[in-house]
Amino acid sequence: MIAVLFSWAVIFFTLFSLGDIFIRFYNIICKERESYNIPDTFILGICFLSILLPITSLWLPSNHYILLACIIAVIIYWIKNRVRLKEFAGSVKNTLKSFTFLQKVLMGLAVLAVLLHMLFTDLFFDAGFYHLQNIRWNEEYPVVPGLANFEDRYGFNSNYLLLSAIFTFRFIFGETGYMLQTTLYVVILCWAMANLFRSGYDFRYIIILLLLLFVLTSGGYMLANTSTDIIPLLCIFYYIVKTVLRPDWLARQPLMAFLLPITLVAFKVSTALFCLISLAILVSLIKQKNRRVILFLLSASALTIVLWCVRNVIISGYLVYPIYSIDLFNVDWKVPEGTAFLQKAHIYNWAKYVFNVDYIYRITKVGFFENPLFFFNSITNFALFLFITVSPVFVIRKMLKNKDAAKADKTVYSVYLLSLLCIIFGMISAPDFRFVNGYIFGCTFLLITIMTSHRKPVRQAGKYITAGIVSCMLILAVWWDVSKAVNYRVKPNGENLKSLMMFPVHPVYDLRIEEYSMGSFSIFLKVGDDPRGFGLMPVANREGIPFDHYEGDKIQSVYTIEARGRRIQDGFRTKPEYIDIINKNTQRYIEEYQRIHKTKYPAGYFESCQLK
C-alpha cells in the first residue's frame, strides 16, 4: 500500500510538472494564454514525455536515472516558479475546503477503493508473455536492433511500455509496480467527483462516475498490472466527455485537443482513426491563419510519430509492425514477412470470437455460475454496444426534430459520428471490446446527454446515487482482494498484513529455465508448456515455426535467430536460411493455425478464472 501511494505521488508530481512545463513552453513560443485543469496538465505531461523518452532511448536505458533527471528538472522549474506552485496549491486547498465532510469522505473512499484494488495483482496473459519483459528491456538497454526477432510482440513498441519503464521503482522496493495507468484513473476519478460536488450533483457527472465504475469492473485486472489498452481507453473517454461538457474547448485549447489523439497512436496504433479530429482542428487553425500554433503542433506531432517510427524500424525493421505491406527499409534485422503476416492474422482471429456463437453461449452458461463479474462485464459491454448500434435512429430523429439545436451542437454530433466510425473500424479490424471501450463509454455518455433533457442538479438523489456507486467500488475492491488472497493462499496473519502494507502481492509462478548460448553471451529458454517468461530477461520460448505449429503464442522459434554482434545491445536477426523457409510456408502455417486455434478461450478457462 505504501509503495502504491508513493508511486502515485511521484508519477503525478513528475507528469503534472512536465505537463505544466510543456504548456508554459507552448504559450511562450506561440504567444498564447492557454490554461488547463489538473487532468489536462497530467495528460499533456504524458504527451511531452512521449517525445522526450523516445529520444533518450536511442542512446540510454529508460530507467530510474532518467526519472531522477526528470525530477531534478521539475524541482528546478518549480523553484523558479514557486509563486505559480503556491497558487496551484492554494486553489486545490480552497476546492477541498468547499466540500462538505460527507463529500470529502466519499472522495476518500473512492480513492481507497482503487488503492485496495491494487493490493493484489493479476498477471493476465499479455502481461506475463511480453509486457513485463518488454518493460525490462527498456529499463536495461537503449533500443535494441531486431529485438522483435527475439519475440515478435516486442515489435508493437507501445509507448506505454516505454514510459512505464521509468516508473517501476524497482531500485527502491526491489520489486516492480506498474502504476502509470492507475494514476491517470485516480486523477480522472477525482476530477469527476470534484465537478460532481461543485455542480450540486449534476446528472451528467453521475453518469461519468458510473462509467468509471464500469471501467473498474471491466478493466480492473489491467489497472492492477500492465496494459497497453487502459491509457488509450481513459484518454479517449475523457476527451469525448470533455467535448460534450464544453464543446468550445477544441478551439480554445488546441495544444491538447490536437496533440492527444496523435500521441495515442504511439500507445495503441488502432486509435489512428481518432486522429481525424486533429485534422479538423488543423483546418480550423489554417482558416484562422494562426501560423505559430500550427507550426508548433505539427512539429510536436511529427516528433511524436517520427521518433516512434524510428524505434519501430530499429526494433522490427518495419515502419509499423505487423503491417508488413509498408516495407521501406532493407535492414539485416528485419522480421521475416511471414512472421508479421501470422501476427496480423492472430490479432484478428483472437479478437473476432467476441461475436462467436459458441463464445456467447459459454459466457452465458459457465460465466453466470462460475464467474459472475466476467458475465456482468460481458453483458454490460454487449448492452452498451447494442445501444450505440441503434443510436443513429434516435440521433437522426433528435436532429430533425430540433435543427437549430443540432446546428448549435455540431461539434458534439461530429465527435459522435467519429466515435461511431472508430467503433465500426475497431469491430471490423480487431473486434474485441478491450480495444474500443474508450469510444463505447464516451459515446454512451454523449448519447445519454443528447437524448435526455435532464440537465439540472439532482441534489438529494445525487447524494444517494454517488454513495451507492462508491459503495459498489469498495465492495468490488474487497471482493477482488479476498478472492485473490484465497487463490494466492495468503493467510491473514501479521507478517502478510505487514507485507501488504508495503507492496502489492504478486502471484508466484513456477518458472523453469535453462541457459542457451548465442555466441559471446547467453539467454534463457523457457522450460514447460506455459509460454510466459514474466519479468525474467532475456528469456524466450523454445517453440515456434518452422519446427512447431503456430498456436497463437510464440511465432518464430528462437533457434531461427542469431546475435548480430558480441553484445546483447547489438541486437538479433533471423538466420538467412530460415527467412525463405518462413516466408515460403506462410500459407501452410496459417492453415495449421486456423485448424488448431478454433476457440478464443480453451475448455475450462472460465471455470479456472481466479476471480469467482
Side-chain angles (χ1 to χ4, degrees):
M1 186 177 291
I2 293 174
V4 174
L5 291 172
F6 175 83
S7 300
W8 285 355
V10 174
I11 293 171
F12 175 79
F13 174 72
T14 304
L15 291 177
F16 177 82
S17 302
L18 287 175
D20 199 73
I21 292 171
F22 193 36
I23 295 165
R24 189 175 179 86
F25 178 66
Y26 164 81
N27 284 334
I28 292 172
I29 296 296
C30 300
K31 296 182 179 179
E32 295 288 325
R33 293 185 177 180
E34 291 183 23
S35 60
Y36 292 87
N37 61 22
I38 293 176
D40 294 350
T41 306
F42 182 87
I43 290 171
L44 282 170
I46 293 176
C47 296
F48 190 30
L49 196 58
S50 297
I51 296 174
L52 297 178
L53 272 188
I55 295 175
T56 61
S57 71
L58 298 178
W59 298 280
L60 299 169
S62 301
N63 52 29
H64 52 283
Y65 293 110
I66 298 295
L67 175 60
L68 180 61
C70 290
I71 291 175
I72 291 173
V74 299
I75 289 175
I76 293 172
Y77 170 77
W78 286 122
I79 290 174
K80 291 185 175 182
N81 296 274
R82 50 187 174 273
V83 175
R84 181 177 175 83
L85 179 61
K86 188 176 180 180
E87 290 175 353
F88 165 73
S91 66
V92 172
K93 185 178 179 180
N94 291 334
T95 299
L96 291 175
K97 280 185 176 180
S98 67
F99 298 154
T100 65
F101 176 75
L102 175 62
Q103 291 170 343
K104 292 175 183 176
V105 169
L106 287 174
M107 183 177 287
L109 289 176
V111 174
L112 177 63
V114 182
L115 179 61
L116 291 174
H117 209 89
M118 300 302 107
L119 294 184
F120 290 87
T121 62
D122 185 19
L123 286 181
F124 71 105
F125 184 82
D126 283 353
F129 188 64
Y130 77 99
H131 287 181
L132 304 186
Q133 287 189 63
N134 202 343
I135 291 172
R136 191 71 183 269
W137 278 98
N138 289 328
E139 281 186 272
E140 300 290 338
Y141 299 98
V143 59
V144 177
L147 185 60
N149 288 285
F150 191 83
E151 166 51 54
D152 86 289
R153 298 194 193 196
Y154 296 156
F156 295 159
N157 185 34
S158 170
N159 269 357
Y160 163 75
L161 301 175
L162 181 61
L163 268 64
S164 291
I166 72 170
F167 293 121
T168 62
F169 302 104
R170 191 192 310 271
F171 70 104
I172 294 178
F173 302 108
E175 297 185 65
T176 54
Y178 307 98
M179 303 297 168
L180 178 58
Q181 66 271 24
T182 316
T183 310
L184 176 60
Y185 180 84
V186 170
V187 168
I188 294 176
L189 175 66
C190 290
W191 165 84
M193 296 193 75
N195 280 280
L196 173 64
F197 299 148
R198 282 187 297 199
S199 65
Y201 296 93
D202 188 320
F203 176 72
R204 295 172 299 176
Y205 289 105
I206 292 176
I207 298 300
I208 294 171
L209 191 60
L210 182 61
L211 291 170
L212 286 172
L213 172 62
F214 288 156
V215 172
L216 194 61
T217 61
S218 62
Y221 68 100
M222 293 185 286
L223 276 173
N225 209 288
T226 63
S227 170
T228 57
D229 302 314
I230 292 294
I231 286 184
L233 184 158
L234 290 172
C235 286
I236 288 170
F237 171 68
Y238 178 72
Y239 195 105
I240 296 172
V241 164
K242 189 176 173 71
T243 304
V244 175
L245 295 172
R246 295 183 179 274
D248 62 328
W249 86 276
L250 295 175
R252 292 187 296 102
Q253 299 173 313
L255 175 60
M256 178 175 163
F258 181 91
L259 190 57
L260 179 57
I262 305 293
T263 301
L264 291 180
V265 174
F267 280 73
K268 197 78 176 178
V269 71
S270 58
T271 64
L273 187 61
F274 197 65
C275 291
L276 286 175
I277 201 164
S278 298
L279 181 61
I281 293 169
L282 179 62
V283 171
S284 177
L285 290 171
I286 291 173
K287 290 179 179 179
Q288 297 170 25
K289 297 181 179 180
N290 199 334
R291 293 183 180 86
R292 286 178 180 269
V293 173
I294 292 171
L295 183 60
F296 186 96
L297 295 179
L298 289 179
S299 299
S301 300
L303 278 172
T304 301
I305 298 301
V306 169
L307 289 167
W308 175 65
C309 287
V310 167
R311 282 178 50 86
N312 287 342
V313 173
I314 295 174
I315 293 171
S316 68
Y318 295 96
L319 204 61
V320 180
Y321 183 82
I323 305 177
Y324 57 87
S325 55
I326 306 177
D327 188 0
L328 306 177
F329 304 95
N330 187 23
V331 291
D332 69 294
W333 63 77
K334 184 186 298 181
V335 174
E337 184 179 306
T339 301
F341 186 87
L342 281 169
Q343 184 57 257
K344 189 176 179 182
H346 174 64
I347 292 170
Y348 175 74
N349 278 276
W350 170 262
K352 75 177 183 178
Y353 285 101
V354 72
F355 293 114
N356 182 273
V357 174
D358 177 63
Y359 168 72
I360 296 173
Y361 172 75
R362 290 172 69 196
I363 64 172
T364 303
K365 180 182 177 181
V366 182
F368 182 77
F369 297 102
E370 299 291 338
N371 194 332
L373 182 62
F374 188 89
F375 177 77
F376 171 78
N377 291 332
S378 300
I379 295 301
T380 301
N381 264 139
F382 273 108
L384 293 179
F385 176 73
L386 290 174
F387 171 59
I388 293 169
T389 301
V390 301
S391 65
V393 176
F394 302 101
V395 171
I396 292 172
R397 181 184 175 186
K398 181 88 173 179
M399 293 174 66
L400 293 175
K401 190 175 180 180
N402 195 339
K403 295 181 180 179
D404 292 335
K407 190 174 181 180
D409 294 335
K410 64 179 181 180
T411 300
V412 174
Y413 285 104
S414 298
V415 170
Y416 163 73
L417 179 60
L418 179 58
S419 300
L420 206 59
L421 289 173
C422 289
I423 293 171
I424 293 170
F425 173 77
M427 285 302 180
I428 292 174
S429 59
D432 193 321
F433 288 129
R434 282 186 304 139
F435 306 146
V436 294
N437 266 342
Y439 307 110
I440 289 177
F441 293 154
C443 207
T444 299
F445 172 74
L446 185 150
L447 288 168
I448 292 174
T449 304
I450 289 176
M451 296 168 64
T452 180
S453 58
H454 191 9
R455 299 288 182 90
K456 295 180 181 179
V458 283
R459 293 183 183 276
Q460 198 60 34
K463 292 178 183 179
Y464 294 114
I465 295 171
T466 303
I469 294 172
V470 172
S471 298
C472 288
M473 295 175 73
L474 280 168
I475 293 169
L476 177 66
V478 172
W479 182 27
W480 172 271
D481 287 345
V482 171
S483 63
K484 290 301 175 186
V486 172
N487 286 318
Y488 298 168
R489 298 178 181 177
V490 177
K491 297 180 180 179
N493 54 43
E495 184 179 346
N496 287 331
L497 290 175
K498 184 179 177 181
S499 177
L500 268 176
M501 288 298 294
M502 187 64 195
F503 202 87
V505 174
H506 298 289
V508 178
Y509 293 92
D510 180 22
L511 182 60
R512 292 175 293 154
I513 57 173
E514 63 181 27
E515 194 171 347
Y516 175 69
S517 175
M518 296 200 74
S520 58
F521 62 87
S522 296
I523 63 170
F524 300 105
L525 296 184
K526 178 74 177 62
V527 178
D529 296 330
D530 191 338
R532 296 174 294 179
F534 306 103
L536 185 64
M537 192 278 295
V539 64
N541 193 308
R542 67 174 72 245
E543 297 180 354
I545 60 173
F547 311 112
D548 302 288
H549 299 306
Y550 173 53
E551 299 182 9
D553 299 327
K554 176 71 172 167
I555 295 182
Q556 192 175 323
S557 172
V558 71
Y559 298 131
T560 65
I561 69 171
E562 62 184 3
R564 295 182 64 249
R566 299 185 60 81
R567 306 172 305 154
I568 288 181
Q569 179 58 52
D570 295 326
F572 306 90
R573 64 188 170 206
T574 300
K575 296 175 182 178
E577 61 267 29
Y578 287 109
I579 295 176
D580 288 340
I581 292 174
I582 292 172
N583 290 341
K584 288 179 181 178
N585 291 280
T586 301
Q587 189 58 41
R588 178 169 65 85
Y589 300 145
I590 285 289
E591 291 172 358
E592 291 172 348
Y593 164 78
Q594 291 175 339
R595 185 176 66 253
I596 297 169
H597 189 77
K598 289 185 179 298
T599 58
K600 180 173 181 179
Y601 297 105
Y605 174 86
F606 298 105
E607 296 90 333
S608 64
C609 285
Q610 296 182 5
L611 180 56
K612 298 180 180 179

